[in-house]
Amino acid sequence: MLRNAFTVLLLGLFVWVCFPLITPVAMGGVFALLFFPWFVKLEKKKVPSALAAAIITAAFSVLVLLPISVLIVTALKTGVYEFRAIQQQWSGVSALGPGSLDDGTWMSRLGRHHFVVSAVERLSKFFPVSSEELLATTIDVLKVV
């Protein structure tokens, strides 16, 4: 019985330590399965195995990963530009009054929206923080974003 418990404990520790490596290994397996036919074709043409693997990897990187990376970076830059333009457009809204958490920006108004307030109040039940402090922090985070 003790031996089985020890085996289960070791297995659990092994999985816990190796868990971050599962995704890269699985993606490598998917990559190998997808491109194995091309690898075989290159080997039939008398290309050495190491060179065939390097050619497939380089082609995948240049033809797939590079364009996707460029698209993602371009989309992020455009998104940040548009987000800043919207913030500047709505920054002229007047504040609600002195001592208010709302400084007039649309992000502050979003922080005061009833859906956000109700969600923050529900979250404050799980954390030892008052809902006002949590709401103020939420509004500050929305302003930074």
Side-chain angles (χ1 to χ4, degrees):
M1 182 66 177
L2 186 60
R3 187 176 202 157
N4 291 340
F6 185 69
T7 303
V8 169
L9 177 69
L10 282 179
L11 184 62
L13 286 173
F14 175 77
V15 169
W16 181 63
V17 168
C18 292
F19 190 73
L21 301 173
I22 290 173
T23 302
V25 169
M27 292 304 293
V30 169
F31 184 83
L33 284 173
L34 284 175
F35 295 103
F36 186 71
W38 292 356
F39 180 78
V40 171
K41 286 180 184 178
L42 286 174
E43 279 191 328
K44 284 181 181 177
K45 293 182 180 183
K46 305 294 184 203
V47 177
S49 298
L51 183 59
I55 290 171
I56 291 172
T57 303
F60 181 77
S61 297
V62 170
L63 298 175
V64 176
L65 294 180
L66 186 64
I68 287 175
S69 299
V70 169
L71 286 173
I72 289 173
V73 168
T74 303
L76 287 174
K77 283 183 180 180
T78 304
V80 167
Y81 174 77
E82 291 297 325
F83 187 76
R84 286 185 181 157
I86 290 172
Q87 270 187 325
Q88 288 176 357
Q89 178 183 5
W90 286 92
S91 66
V93 179
S94 63
L96 293 177
S100 173
L101 289 173
D102 192 348
D103 65 355
T105 63
W106 71 279
M107 290 304 263
S108 295
R109 292 190 307 138
L110 176 65
R112 286 288 180 193
H113 195 271
H114 70 336
F115 288 125
V116 175
V117 171
S118 66
V120 166
E121 287 174 354
R122 277 186 262 133
L123 277 174
S124 68
K125 293 177 185 174
F126 297 105
F127 299 105
V129 179
S130 71
S131 61
E132 271 304 310
E133 290 177 40
L134 196 54
L135 188 61
T137 304
T138 304
I139 290 173
D140 289 340
V141 167
L142 287 173
K143 288 179 191 175
V144 170
V145 172

